[in-house]
Amino acid sequence: MDYAHLKKRDLEKIEIFLKSLEDDFLQSRKIRKRNPLERYIDNLNLRMIIAKDRRNIMGYISYEFNVRGAGKIIGIGVSKNYRGKGIGEALFKRALKELSKKHKRIITRTWSTNTTSRSLIEKMGFKKYRVIKNKRIDGSDDVWLSRNR
């Protein structure tokens, strides 16, 4: 398995991979037009790390530098076939290492019903600091978490 920053040659595969995870994510009530994936290659403040073998992408983590003075984990996803094998934790550690070089504080969010995500986030040392009620289309809450370097 290899962990690497997203490159142009990976764009088609990551689009297919992200499409396969669509059912795992709850949209916010406020629908925003998503940024094209190319921004993760061209924008110095946005990054995406992918976990892949020779043929498939198994997981990703995306993050951003300088969000209100903090680093931000934007999203993480692991293919159902590879969950429980430490890929999410390995991706998280790589992103935290990079974000910690520039930021003392790192933030992220998940929704209240996503116990798997929240468990991983808390395992990585994050603590809840804010809840936005009824934010997701199913009525669940957004839970914001942060950690210091």
Side-chain angles (χ1 to χ4, degrees), residues 1-141:
M1 182 177 341
D2 184 33
Y3 295 90
H5 286 276
L6 183 68
K7 297 192 175 27
K8 282 192 186 259
R9 67 176 178 260
D10 300 314
L11 287 174
E12 185 177 328
K13 284 184 179 181
I14 194 69
E15 285 177 10
I16 293 167
F17 176 78
L18 291 173
K19 191 95 168 138
S20 76
L21 295 180
E22 276 183 353
D23 292 341
D24 293 343
F25 293 95
L26 288 174
Q27 287 192 344
S28 174
R29 287 185 182 276
K30 181 181 175 186
I31 305 297
R32 285 182 287 186
K33 188 175 180 180
R34 296 222 179 246
N35 295 327
L37 289 169
E38 290 87 1
R39 288 195 63 203
Y40 287 97
I41 297 168
D42 299 332
N43 187 322
L44 295 177
N45 286 325
L46 289 172
R47 293 282 185 275
M48 182 181 287
I49 298 173
I50 55 175
K52 60 183 179 176
D53 61 15
R54 292 177 190 205
R55 296 180 306 268
N56 302 308
I57 293 178
M58 297 174 284
Y60 83 97
I61 190 163
S62 57
Y63 52 100
E64 185 172 6
F65 295 96
N66 300 315
V67 178
R68 296 182 198 105
K72 180 182 178 187
I73 303 289
I74 298 169
I76 184 168
V78 175
S79 171
K80 291 178 184 180
N81 298 336
Y82 296 99
R83 291 180 187 166
K85 300 183 185 316
I87 294 170
E89 186 174 340
L91 287 164
F92 231 109
K93 286 179 179 177
R94 282 167 170 77
L96 290 174
K97 183 177 179 181
E98 289 191 27
L99 287 167
S100 293
K101 291 176 186 176
K102 292 187 177 185
H103 298 289
K104 290 182 182 177
R105 184 170 182 245
I106 302 167
I107 60 173
T108 191
R109 72 174 175 173
T110 189
W111 56 92
S112 56
T113 57
N114 191 345
T115 55
T116 303
S117 173
R118 185 143 175 210
S119 176
L120 175 60
I121 293 167
E122 289 174 347
K123 183 177 181 178
M124 296 291 104
F126 286 77
K127 304 284 186 219
K128 178 176 71 171
Y129 74 91
R130 181 178 181 199
V131 175
I132 301 174
K133 297 286 187 190
N134 199 27
K135 181 74 174 176
R136 300 289 170 155
I137 58 174
D138 74 339
S140 61
D141 306 332

